[in-house]
Amino acid sequence: MIDSLVTFVLHVSGGSAALGIVLFTLAVRLLLLPLNVRQARTAKIRERLAPKLRELRERHGRNPERLSKELNALYAKEGTSPFAGIMPMLAQLPFLWLMYRVATHPTALAGHTLFGAPLGEQAAGVVAHFGLVSAPVLVFVLVIALVTAVAWLSARQIKLAEEQPEAMKRIMRLLPYGSALAVLVLPLAAGLYLLVSTAWAVSERAVLASRPL
């Protein structure tokens, strides 16, 4: 299965594995676009309903079952669900897993590089093979820097509810930086996937936030 997927992607991209990963990532993001539109709509509804949500939590805070029922009814009236926001994240996991399988396959990405950095290698392996001061290591540094910059933009886009605990708010603000940490331990192919995917996500949220849904 992995070899067949790689063969197809290389055929579509004219033999460039790096370009193939970019095209594969864009195809995944387009596939998930309807879910992301729904997520953005849910976020706007939650923002609009914030006073009512706060009132329900104050009224039924001691009765979790009743609170859950009232919240679900309120969201259903608006034609959405409180869980709609996490669906895009869950839906993307199989594609990230597939990219990881491709990147760690013994032969799938053999000989394929991004500006001299092997797509199937992790940062530690590249340092071991090429030395700390080398062009392949610089590629990794650049990808990590770009992913970190995108994570910073993503963290700025997060809108947190006032009633959320401070500990949860801190976790939510730090969560986007997990992609930067992942690039440190994942093969470069998976890091490239994360870079393109997170950059798309940030741009998509900016566009959707500025338009009525």
Side-chain angles (χ1 to χ4, degrees):
M1 175 185 174
I2 298 298
D3 289 328
S4 299
L5 174 63
V6 172
T7 301
F8 174 75
V9 170
L10 288 176
H11 174 73
V12 172
S13 62
S16 171
L19 177 59
I21 292 170
V22 173
L23 295 176
F24 173 79
T25 309
L26 295 178
V28 170
R29 297 304 313 194
L30 284 172
L31 185 65
L32 298 178
L33 184 57
L35 288 177
N36 292 324
V37 171
R38 186 181 178 189
Q39 180 189 40
R41 180 173 177 269
T42 299
K44 289 190 175 183
I45 290 175
R46 187 181 293 114
E47 186 176 352
R48 177 164 51 83
L49 295 178
K52 292 183 179 180
L53 294 173
R54 192 180 305 112
E55 181 183 346
L56 286 175
R57 290 190 176 94
E58 291 175 356
R59 186 184 304 173
H60 305 295
R62 297 182 180 180
N63 189 342
E65 185 176 346
R66 176 68 184 276
L67 176 60
S68 177
K69 184 178 179 180
E70 294 290 342
L71 289 176
N72 288 332
L74 183 61
Y75 278 111
K77 185 179 179 181
E78 297 290 336
T80 186
S81 163
F83 303 105
I86 65 173
M87 287 304 296
M89 184 187 302
L90 295 178
Q92 192 174 176
L93 290 178
F95 299 104
L96 182 58
W97 174 83
L98 182 60
M99 181 53 61
Y100 175 78
R101 287 291 307 275
V102 169
T104 56
H105 192 276
T107 60
L109 295 177
H112 293 282
T113 65
L114 175 64
F115 302 116
L119 287 168
E121 284 276 7
Q122 299 171 319
V126 171
V127 171
H129 291 155
F130 298 94
L132 186 60
V133 182
S134 61
V137 171
L138 182 60
V139 172
F140 258 100
V141 171
L142 180 60
V143 170
I144 293 170
L146 290 174
V147 171
T148 302
V150 173
W152 179 78
L153 291 173
S154 180
R156 287 174 60 87
Q157 290 179 329
I158 295 176
K159 294 183 179 180
L160 301 171
E162 293 180 3
E163 62 271 15
Q164 282 185 312
E166 281 301 319
M168 180 61 68
K169 289 181 179 180
R170 284 195 292 268
I171 291 174
M172 292 298 293
R173 291 192 183 98
L174 291 175
L175 205 56
Y177 294 97
S179 56
L181 294 176
V183 177
L184 287 171
V185 298
L186 291 174
L188 181 57
L192 183 59
Y193 173 90
L194 283 173
L195 172 59
V196 177
S197 184
T198 52
W200 173 293
V202 167
S203 303
E204 181 181 77
R205 281 195 295 269
V207 171
L208 293 177
S210 64
R211 302 183 63 178
L213 298 173

Coordinates of all heavy atoms in Angstrom, one line a residue, residues 1 43 85 150 174 197:
M1 N 0.8 -1.2 0.0 CA 0.0 0.0 0.0 C 0.9 1.3 0.0 O 0.6 2.2 -0.7 CB -0.9 0.0 1.2 CG -1.7 1.3 1.4 SD -2.7 1.3 2.9 CE -3.4 3.0 2.8
A43 N -17.5 28.0 16.1 CA -16.8 29.0 16.9 C -17.6 30.3 17.0 O -17.7 30.9 18.0 CB -15.4 29.1 16.4
G85 N -16.1 21.3 16.9 CA -14.8 22.0 16.8 C -13.6 21.0 16.8 O -12.5 21.4 16.3
V150 N 4.5 29.7 12.3 CA 3.1 29.4 12.1 C 2.3 29.1 13.3 O 1.2 29.5 13.5 CB 3.0 28.2 11.0 CG1 1.5 27.8 10.9 CG2 3.5 28.6 9.7
L174 N -0.4 27.0 24.3 CA 0.8 26.3 24.0 C 0.6 25.1 23.0 O 1.6 24.7 22.4 CB 1.4 25.7 25.3 CG 2.0 26.7 26.3 CD1 2.4 26.1 27.6 CD2 3.2 27.5 25.7
S197 N 0.5 21.9 6.2 CA -0.9 21.8 6.8 C -1.2 22.9 7.8 O -2.3 23.4 7.8 CB -1.0 20.4 7.5 OG -2.3 20.2 8.0

